[in-house]
C-alpha cells in the first residue's frame, strides 16, 4: 500500500532497541509501516505520498507531556502573566492597563505571580493589592496554583472577607484585624474567587471538586469552553506534543474532548483522570470513578487513572514535612497541611487499586511522599502485587531512606525538571530557604531515583510552567549549579527524551502502541528543527518542533 506520508533525511531516535537509529519512516493509515534508510523508504513513495524533508533534524516519537492541566492552561494563554514582575510599582504598571482594556470582567485576574513578588520575607496581602486597584475585584494566582491573593473588593464579592469554612488542607489566612488578609491557600479556599473569572471557574473544577459544573454550562458557555481548549491543544501540537496526561478531571472535560474529536479538532491524545478529594467517601470510587473509567476508553480520549493530593507546596508551607519548616514557615510547629487523614488516604488507595485503577498522587514534602509510598505498600498488601504503575507526582523533597522504596514497590516517579530551583525558570534560591540543610540531599533527586532502578517520567505541570518542551529539557540536561550542598542530578539527553516519549507511553500502558518509531506503532511523530544530539546542552532551546503528526495526520507545521 502506498504510504500517505514519508519523512526522510532525518536523524531518527527510535527508542526501539532493535533499531535505535534510522533516516526515514513511512506512515500509512495512521500507522508506522516502514523504518529504514532514505533509499529504502523513498522507494516506497507513490504519486499521492506527501514527502517531508527533516533536513537533518532529530525525528522523535510524538512527545507526551504526562502532567498537565489542559483546561486551565488553555485559559491562561489569554491571561495577564506576572512572570518576572517584582514589586508593587511594576505590578501596577502591568495590571492597570490590562484592567482598563477589560472593563467587562467581573474580576481582574492575573497568573504567574511569584511568592516572592514583593521581595524575600514579604507576603502579599489584600492591602497591597488595594493600593493598585482599590475599587474593583483583583486577584492573582501563584505559578503552582496552590495560592491565590485577592484584594478587599474581591474578597467581599466572593464572600470570603469574614473567613469561612474550607476543606481540610485549605486555609483562608486571617489578619490581626479579624478579616481575611488576602492569602487563600488551596482550592477549598480560593474556589469562590475562581467562580468570578471569565469561565466561572469551570476550567479548574476538575481540580477543585473533581465534579461537573453546577449549574450546568449553557450551550454558549460550553462552546466557549470547547474553543479555548481547542486553542490550548493547538498550542500543544506546536511543541511537538501528541499526547497529554491531564491531572485534573471530570466528565465535563471528557465530554468536551470527545466533541472536539468528533469535530476533527483534537490534535493530541488525552488521558483524563477521575479526581478523588480528601473529603470524598470511599464508595465514590466504585460509584463514579470505575464507571467513568469504563465509559471512556478511546484511542484519543480515555480515562485511565485516579488523581489525589496528599499535600500542598513548599513555598506556602503546605507541603507535608517530617518536621517543622525552618524560619517563619515553621512557627507554631507547622509541618504542612493534611489534605487526607492517612487512614482515609490508605483506604482510598486500596479501593482504587482493588478496582484496577492506576493512581497518581501529588506529593511534594518528605512526609507527603512517605505517606504516599506507605499507602501504595498497603494497597499491595491488601490486594496483591500487580502491574499497577502507580505514580507519585512531583516528589520534590524526599527522605533519602525512601528513595529505594520507589523501585522496591514499582512506583513511578513523575517529575517536572523545570520546577526545580536549578531549572532556570523559578528563582534559584526560592525553595532552599524553606528546607533544612539535611533535606537538600533528597530534594529534586532525579538521578538518584534513576540509579536505584525506579522508572522516571517527565512533564511540565502546565500552566505551572510553560508547556514549551525544550526549556524543560534544558532544565534536566543543563541545570544550574546551586553549589556544594546540592548534588549533581544532571540528566542525559537520551534519558530525558525517553522520559518524554517512550516512558510516558509506557506509564499510560501504551508501550506496545506508541512511544517508539517502529513498524506497527501509532503514527505519532515530532520532527525537530535541529539534530538534538549535536547541540550543546545549554543551547538545546535553539531547537523547536517543525512538524507534528498525530494519528497519521499533520497537526502542526511551522511556516
Amino acid at each position: 500500500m502506498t504510504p500517505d506520508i514519508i519523512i526522510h533525511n532525518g536523524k531518527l531516535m527510535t527508542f526501539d532497541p532493535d533499531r535505535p537509529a534510522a533516516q526515514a519512516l513511512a506512515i500509512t493509515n495512521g500507522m508506522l509501516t516502514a523504518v529504514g534508510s532514505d533509499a529504502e523508504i523513498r522507494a516506497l513513495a507513490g504519486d499521492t505520498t506527501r514527502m517531508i524533508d527533516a533536513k537533518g533534524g532529530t525525528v522523535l516519537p510524538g512527545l507526551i507531556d504526562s502532567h498537565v492541566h489542559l483546561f486551565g492552561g488553555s485559559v491562561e494563554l489569554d491571561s495577564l502573566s506576572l512572570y518576572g514582575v517584582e514589586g508593587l510599582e511594576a505590578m501596577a504598571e502591568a495590571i492597570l492597563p490590562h484592567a482598563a482594556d477589560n472593563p467587562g470582567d467581573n474580576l481582574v485576574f492575573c497568573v504567574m505571580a511569584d511568592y516572592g513578588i514583593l521581595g524575600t520575607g514579604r507576603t502579599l496581602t489584600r492591602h497591597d493589592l488595594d493600593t493598585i486597584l482599590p475599587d474593583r475585584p483583583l486577584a492573582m494566582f501563584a505559578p503552582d496554583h496552590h495560592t491565590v491573593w485577592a484584594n478587599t473588593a474581591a474578597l467581599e464579592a466572593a464572600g470570603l472577607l469574614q473567613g469561612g469554612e474550607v476543606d481540610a488542607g485549605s486555609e483562608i489566612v486571617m489578619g490581626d484585624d479579624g478579616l481575611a488578609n488576602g492569602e487563600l491557600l488551596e482550592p477549598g479556599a480560593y474556589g469562590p474567587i475562581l467562580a468570578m473569572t471569565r469561565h466561572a471557574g469551570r476550567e479548574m473544577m476538575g481540580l477543585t471538586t473533581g465534579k461537573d459544573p453546577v449549574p450546568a454550562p449553557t450551550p454558549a458557555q460550553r462552546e466557549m469552553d470547547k474553543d479555548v481548549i481547542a486553542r490550548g491543544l493547538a498550542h500543544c501540537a506546536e511543541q511537538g506534543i501528541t499526547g497529554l496526561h491531564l491531572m485534573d478531571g471530570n466528565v465535563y472535560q471528557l465530554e468536551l474532548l470527545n466533541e472536539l474529536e468528533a469535530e476533527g479538532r483534537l490534535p493530541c491524545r488525552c488521558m483524563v483522570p477521575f479526581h478523588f478529594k480528601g473529603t470524598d467517601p470511599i464508595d465514590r470510587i466504585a460509584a463514579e470513578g470505575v464507571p467513568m473509567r469504563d465509559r471512556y476508553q478511546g484511542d484519543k480520549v480515555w480515562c485511565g487513572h485516579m488523581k489525589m493530593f496528599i499535600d500542598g507546596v513548599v513555598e506556602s508551607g503546605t507541603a507535608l514535612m517530617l518536621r517543622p519548616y525552618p524560619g517563619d514557615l515553621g512557627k507554631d510547629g507547622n509541618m504542612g497541611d493534611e489534605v487526607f487523614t492517612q487512614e482515609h488516604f490508605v483506604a482510598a488507595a486500596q479501593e482504587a487499586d482493588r478496582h484496577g485503577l492506576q493512581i497518581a498522587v501529588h506529593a511534594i514534602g518528605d512526609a507527603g511522599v512517605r505517606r504516599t509510598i506507605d499507602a501504595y505498600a498497603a494497597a499491595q498488601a491488601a490486594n496483591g502485587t500487580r502491574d499497577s504503575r502507580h505514580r507519585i507526582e512531583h516528589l520534590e523533597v524526599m527522605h533519602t531512606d525512601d528513595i529505594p522504596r520507589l523501585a522496591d514497590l514499582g512506583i513511578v516517579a513523575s517529575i517536572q525538571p523545570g520546577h526545580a530551583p536549578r531549572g532556570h525558570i523559578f528563582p534559584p534560591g526560592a525553595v532552599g530557604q524553606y528546607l533544612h540543610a539535611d533535606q537538600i540531599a533528597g530534594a529534586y533527586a532525579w538521578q538518584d531515583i534513576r540509579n536505584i532502578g525506579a522508572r522516571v517520567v517527565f512533564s511540565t505541570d502546565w500552566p505551572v510552567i510553560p508547556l514549551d518542551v525544550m526549556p524543560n529539557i534544558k532544565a534536566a540536561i543543563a541545570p544550574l549549579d546551586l553549589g556544594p550542598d546540592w548534588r549533581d542530578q544532571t540528566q542525559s539527553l537520551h534519558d530525558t527524551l525517553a522520559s518524554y516519549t517512550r516512558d510516558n507511553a509506557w506509564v499510560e500502558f501504551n508501550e506496545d502502541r506508541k512511544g517508539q518509531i517502529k513498524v506497527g506503532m501509532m503514527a505519532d511523530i515530532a520532527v525537530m528543527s535541529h539534530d538534538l544530539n549535536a547541540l550543546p546542552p545549554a543551547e538545546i532551546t535553539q531547537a523547536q518542533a517543525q512538524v507534528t503528526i498525530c494519528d497519521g495526520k499533520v497537526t502542526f507545521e511551522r511556516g
Side-chain angles (χ1 to χ4, degrees), residues 353-371:
D353 182 75
R354 185 173 72 84
H355 286 284
L357 283 163
Q358 184 185 33
I359 306 170
V361 175
H362 165 114
I364 281 184
D366 50 14
V369 174
R370 178 170 289 179
R371 287 188 182 199

Side-chain angles (χ1 to χ4, degrees), residues 36-69:
S37 68
D38 275 345
E40 290 170 330
I41 305 304
R42 288 174 65 93
L44 303 175
D47 293 340
T48 60
T49 301
R50 177 174 180 186
M51 306 296 289
I52 296 176
D53 184 354
K55 300 178 181 179
T58 297
V59 180
L60 296 163
L63 295 156
I64 300 171
D65 193 321
S66 58
H67 187 127
V68 300
H69 300 278

Side-chain angles (χ1 to χ4, degrees), residues 466-527:
L467 185 78
D468 308 35
V469 171
M470 303 318 291
N472 203 39
I473 288 175
K474 179 181 176 179
I477 68 173
L480 292 170
D481 182 354
L482 299 180
D485 292 338
W486 293 81
R487 286 169 50 80
D488 181 15
Q489 301 289 341
T490 302
Q491 303 288 282
S492 73
L493 178 63
H494 182 275
D495 283 349
T496 299
L497 293 173
S499 287
Y500 242 119
T501 56
R502 179 196 66 198
D503 299 335
N504 274 338
W506 172 86
V507 79
E508 65 176 52
F509 294 90
N510 267 323
E511 67 270 25
D512 293 332
R513 303 203 298 163
K514 57 180 172 173
Q516 299 178 61
I517 297 178
K518 182 178 180 180
V519 172
M521 292 283 180
M522 294 174 170
D524 294 357
I525 297 293
V527 181

Side-chain angles (χ1 to χ4, degrees), residues 344-355:
H344 189 54
F345 182 68
V346 168
Q350 289 175 328
E351 179 71 357
D353 182 75
R354 185 173 72 84
H355 286 284

Side-chain angles (χ1 to χ4, degrees), residues 167-181:
D167 293 344
S170 298
E171 182 183 0
I172 301 170
V173 179
M174 304 301 290
D176 294 337
D177 59 1
L179 300 176
N181 80 350

Side-chain angles (χ1 to χ4, degrees), residues 114-344:
D114 192 78
Y115 282 93
I117 199 166
L118 295 184
T120 303
R122 178 89 190 278
T123 300
L124 194 65
T125 70
R126 65 182 172 93
H127 306 293
D128 297 314
L129 299 183
D130 288 347
T131 67
I132 298 173
L133 209 60
D135 301 320
R136 187 175 170 191
L138 167 67
M140 52 192 62
F141 238 152
D144 56 29
H145 297 78
H146 288 264
T147 301
V148 164
W149 297 276
N151 71 351
T152 302
L155 293 168
E156 286 181 324
L160 298 174
L161 187 59
Q162 309 294 328
E165 296 295 321
V166 298
D167 293 344
S170 298
E171 182 183 0
I172 301 170
V173 179
M174 304 301 290
D176 294 337
D177 59 1
L179 300 176
N181 80 350
E183 187 176 19
L184 306 169
L185 306 178
E186 303 300 331
Y190 63 62
I193 294 289
L194 296 184
M196 299 165 60
T197 61
R198 292 175 185 173
H199 291 262
R202 294 187 300 276
E203 74 274 18
M204 294 290 288
M205 281 192 171
L207 184 71
T208 57
T209 70
K211 299 181 181 179
D212 291 342
V214 177
T218 65
Q221 289 172 330
R222 193 179 185 95
E223 287 304 309
M224 178 175 70
D225 292 346
K226 198 161 57 175
D227 286 345
V228 78
I229 291 173
R231 291 200 300 274
L233 288 164
H235 178 62
C236 295
E238 189 175 345
Q239 314 305 319
I241 292 171
T242 60
L244 303 167
H245 300 173
L246 279 60
M247 284 294 149
D248 60 280
N250 50 16
V251 172
Y252 182 59
Q253 283 194 78
L254 282 160
E255 289 175 346
L256 295 182
L257 291 168
N258 267 348
E259 290 173 19
L260 286 169
E261 181 180 7
E263 295 166 8
R265 294 199 290 160
L266 189 73
C268 303
R269 305 179 194 274
C270 298
M271 181 170 75
V272 180
F274 166 67
H275 194 113
F276 189 80
K277 302 284 290 181
T279 51
D280 288 340
I282 296 298
D283 61 10
R284 183 172 177 247
I285 295 171
E288 297 181 43
V290 173
M292 184 172 163
R293 186 266 315 271
D294 293 345
R295 178 181 172 189
Y296 293 96
Q297 285 296 314
D299 283 340
K300 295 193 75 174
V301 179
W302 74 102
C303 178
H305 58 302
M306 184 175 94
K307 172 71 184 300
M308 295 188 286
F309 280 79
I310 192 68
D311 64 359
V313 292
V314 171
E315 291 87 343
S316 66
T318 55
L320 284 172
M321 295 297 185
L322 293 170
R323 65 186 188 278
Y325 285 86
D328 288 343
L329 275 188
K331 64 184 178 182
D332 302 321
N334 176 43
M335 299 168 67
D337 291 339
E338 187 178 70
V339 178
F340 279 79
T341 66
Q342 186 63 1
E343 180 182 9
H344 189 54

